[in-house]
Amino acid sequence: MASALAARMGLNSLLRKQARTFRVRICTMESDMEFSCEVLDQEVPKEEPIVFHFLAKFYPENAEEELVQDITQHLFFLQVKKKILEEEIHCPPEASVLLASYAVHAKYGDYDPEVHKPGFLAEEELLPKRVINLYQMTPEMWEERITACYAEHRGRTRDQAEMEYLKIAQDLDMYGVNYFLIKNKKGTDLLLGVDALGLHIYDPNNKLTPKCSFPWNEIRNISYSDKEFTIKPLDKKTNVFKFNSSRLRVNKLILQLCIGNHDLFMRRRRVDSLEVQQMKAQAREERARKQVERQRLQREKQLREEAERARDELERRLVQLQDEAHMANEALLRSEQTADLLAEKAQIAEEEAKLLAQKAAEAEAEMQRIKVTAMRGQEERRLMEQKMLEAEMLALTMAEESERRAKEAEQLKQDLQEARDSERRAKNKLLEITSKAAYVPPSHPADNLPGDLSFSRENLSFDFKDTDMKRLSMEIEKEKVEYMEKSKHLQEQLNELKTEIESLKMKERESPLDIIHNQNTEQGTSKHSNFKKVCPKPQGRQYNI
């Protein structure tokens, strides 16, 4: 046991030495950075195994432009989604519902009521707990509202749904901001926020609205000495801002974030490098190829659905004709049975008529015999006359009954003829239905499918002229107009969601950030308007960091 323990300790020591230093290379559209750090020098727990979470250190200003590769976009989407659900990024309730619908679309694809039935989101974590506790709404009510938004996203791919999520998230006030607790010269506690646009100073109780901001293009120099951090604006008339942090390690981290964000800020405002242009061109070609493939698959799916609908219609028509034929057969069978029954009744009526006629003849013969014997004596004559009268009355009754039976037999013959006519019409109807039931198979949808698609790539040219710059400016202005229209539609959708759930809101459960967000919304302020309001006008473009 001692030798095994020693071997294990030796192995752990070797692993520590090998894992003591690791080097990470980060490649994005506008940055190519490489840095190394010692794992054991970090503030990590000393137990084993140690779990690491690799996250994006620098947030893009425009996710749609800067996240070129799909895998990078997906990983960044997961990171931002996790921070919103863990409330590291404050998100208003109406935006939370819309973001949740895009997250559901990214996971499940297009909404299908036959597949996505009520309760399919019961196990999903889609909303921050703060938002759930803020309203008197059951999980079923939340799911109903998320599903209503989810159904409107039909036709988008997973990548498009993730990008829509990021485009909404990047407009949140706390998106991409790293906060650090600092003190000014007077010893007042403040928060320093570092993001892709610059440095911001916050009140510790208000992480949404900065007290003042320093854009990267207006900062001349950033430095620190021991625990004192100094920010020198580009405008020499502006006072130098100094603050103190609690630890030297925090100052190093702040400086690293400032250098990285400033470098990315300046790169975004220069012409892309050849490598970046090639990456963008490859990304555009890949998106175009995927779009063509999606359109081809959509056409095939549409043709297949049309063929299936035609097949279902023919099957339905065939079943209908079969039902009609079955009903006609049953009607024919009933007609034949009725005809047989009427024929039997007619035969019985004829036999009864013959029997009555026979009885009438016998009565007539009896009457003749009575007349012959009537000549005997007066008494016998009187008796014979009486009997003769009775016989006449009986003969009259028999004649009437025989006539009635004859009429009844005639009526039965007419009914029998009508039954046979009905049987003949039923047979004709059956033959007509059978002739219409011929099945014509639908044409194969694959015959109309488009042929193979081919693509060609031309050589790229990077000779920028004034006309190219003007064309680029016009494209940028066009994209701005399209972005403003999309933002307006998005804001209308957010306002509609907010109006729907506002009546169920419990004011007493609002957090301080919720109250501040509502005040900013009523005043019409946002992170961009605050940034423009508190930032002085740039004086130049010389930087020394």
Side-chain angles (χ1 to χ4, degrees), residues 73-309:
Q73 172 185 309
H74 178 64
L75 295 176
F76 190 66
F77 158 76
L78 295 178
Q79 176 177 339
V80 174
K81 175 185 172 185
K82 183 174 181 292
K83 286 186 174 292
I84 290 176
L85 293 179
E86 293 178 354
E87 301 184 22
E88 295 183 23
I89 298 177
H90 178 268
C91 184
E94 60 275 9
S96 299
V97 174
L98 189 57
L99 290 176
S101 67
Y102 280 114
V104 172
H105 189 91
K107 182 175 181 179
Y108 293 99
D110 283 340
Y111 173 72
D112 186 355
E114 298 296 330
V115 178
H116 306 119
K117 297 182 179 180
F120 78 104
L121 299 179
E123 302 299 327
E124 299 288 343
E125 184 181 4
L126 299 172
L127 298 173
K129 293 182 179 179
R130 172 186 57 83
V131 175
I132 296 176
N133 296 331
L134 190 59
Y135 293 88
Q136 293 178 336
M137 296 175 62
T138 62
E140 291 75 14
M141 297 171 67
W142 285 115
E143 179 179 338
E144 181 182 354
R145 279 163 173 78
I146 293 174
T147 304
C149 296
Y150 169 38
E152 296 178 0
H153 307 329
R154 183 176 180 83
R156 287 185 172 89
T157 62
R158 189 196 74 171
D159 298 336
Q160 292 173 341
E162 291 179 351
M163 181 53 65
E164 291 297 328
Y165 187 103
L166 293 176
K167 286 163 66 176
I168 297 173
Q170 70 184 4
D171 290 333
L172 299 177
D173 294 323
M174 294 175 63
Y175 166 84
V177 182
N178 293 284
Y179 295 93
F180 301 93
L181 185 62
I182 60 173
K183 294 180 181 292
N184 59 9
K185 293 182 178 179
K186 299 179 181 180
T188 304
D189 290 334
L190 297 172
L191 284 177
L192 173 66
V194 184
D195 66 359
L197 298 177
L199 299 176
H200 313 278
I201 308 301
Y202 298 88
D203 188 276
N205 297 323
N206 183 0
K207 291 184 178 182
L208 301 181
T209 308
K211 301 179 69 173
C212 63
S213 297
F214 300 92
W216 293 121
N217 60 343
E218 297 181 14
I219 297 177
R220 178 165 55 92
N221 181 270
I222 300 175
S223 62
Y224 74 91
S225 176
D226 195 11
K227 295 182 180 181
E228 185 178 64
F229 207 95
T230 304
I231 301 175
K232 295 181 180 179
L234 191 63
D235 187 3
K236 295 183 179 180
K237 297 180 180 180
T238 306
N239 296 330
V240 176
F241 184 78
K242 295 183 179 182
F243 59 86
N244 295 321
S245 63
S246 58
R247 291 176 298 175
L248 180 61
R249 186 185 300 275
V250 175
N251 281 341
K252 292 182 179 180
L253 178 58
I254 294 174
L255 186 61
Q256 289 178 2
L257 288 173
C258 291
I259 293 174
N261 278 300
H262 178 271
D263 183 54
L264 291 174
F265 181 86
M266 300 308 298
R267 289 189 187 186
R268 294 184 185 105
R269 283 146 183 82
R270 293 197 294 264
V271 179
D272 295 334
S273 64
L274 181 61
E275 181 181 1
V276 173
Q277 293 179 12
Q278 291 176 348
M279 291 176 64
K280 284 185 175 181
Q282 292 175 358
R284 284 194 296 269
E285 291 176 359
E286 182 65 17
R287 291 194 185 100
R289 185 188 66 80
K290 289 183 178 180
Q291 181 66 22
V292 171
E293 182 68 16
R294 282 195 298 269
Q295 292 177 355
R296 183 182 67 81
L297 293 176
Q298 186 66 24
R299 287 195 298 269
E300 292 180 356
K301 181 180 178 182
Q302 184 177 0
L303 291 174
R304 184 171 63 253
E305 290 177 351
E306 291 177 356
E308 290 177 354
R309 285 195 297 269

Side-chain angles (χ1 to χ4, degrees), residues 5-106:
L5 180 61
R8 183 178 178 183
M9 293 177 63
L11 179 61
N12 290 338
S13 176
L14 177 62
L15 291 175
R16 286 193 180 93
K17 290 180 181 179
Q18 292 179 349
R20 181 174 180 82
T21 303
F22 66 89
R23 184 171 297 273
V24 178
R25 183 176 181 87
I26 299 177
C27 296
T28 63
M29 189 190 74
E30 295 185 349
S31 65
D32 188 356
M33 305 180 184
E34 184 173 330
F35 63 89
S36 62
C37 62
E38 294 184 355
V39 175
L40 298 182
D41 287 346
Q42 308 301 314
E43 294 182 357
V44 296
K46 301 304 180 183
E47 69 269 7
E48 297 179 3
I50 301 175
V51 180
F52 293 94
H53 297 278
F54 290 91
L55 304 174
K57 187 175 183 180
F58 303 99
Y59 282 65
E61 286 186 40
N62 189 338
E64 188 174 16
E65 291 291 332
E66 300 179 40
L67 300 180
V68 177
Q69 297 180 350
D70 294 338
I71 184 61
T72 307
Q73 172 185 309
H74 178 64
L75 295 176
F76 190 66
F77 158 76
L78 295 178
Q79 176 177 339
V80 174
K81 175 185 172 185
K82 183 174 181 292
K83 286 186 174 292
I84 290 176
L85 293 179
E86 293 178 354
E87 301 184 22
E88 295 183 23
I89 298 177
H90 178 268
C91 184
E94 60 275 9
S96 299
V97 174
L98 189 57
L99 290 176
S101 67
Y102 280 114
V104 172
H105 189 91

Side-chain angles (χ1 to χ4, degrees), residues 295-347:
Q295 292 177 355
R296 183 182 67 81
L297 293 176
Q298 186 66 24
R299 287 195 298 269
E300 292 180 356
K301 181 180 178 182
Q302 184 177 0
L303 291 174
R304 184 171 63 253
E305 290 177 351
E306 291 177 356
E308 290 177 354
R309 285 195 297 269
R311 183 195 62 190
D312 295 339
E313 178 63 23
L314 290 175
E315 290 179 352
R316 186 190 64 80
R317 180 59 180 166
L318 177 60
V319 171
Q320 182 180 358
L321 292 175
Q322 290 176 348
D323 293 339
E324 292 180 358
H326 181 68
M327 294 174 63
N329 284 328
E330 291 182 350
L332 177 61
L333 182 61
R334 287 194 299 269
S335 299
E336 291 176 351
Q337 293 175 352
T338 304
D340 294 341
L341 182 60
L342 291 175
E344 184 179 356
K345 288 183 176 181
Q347 184 178 1

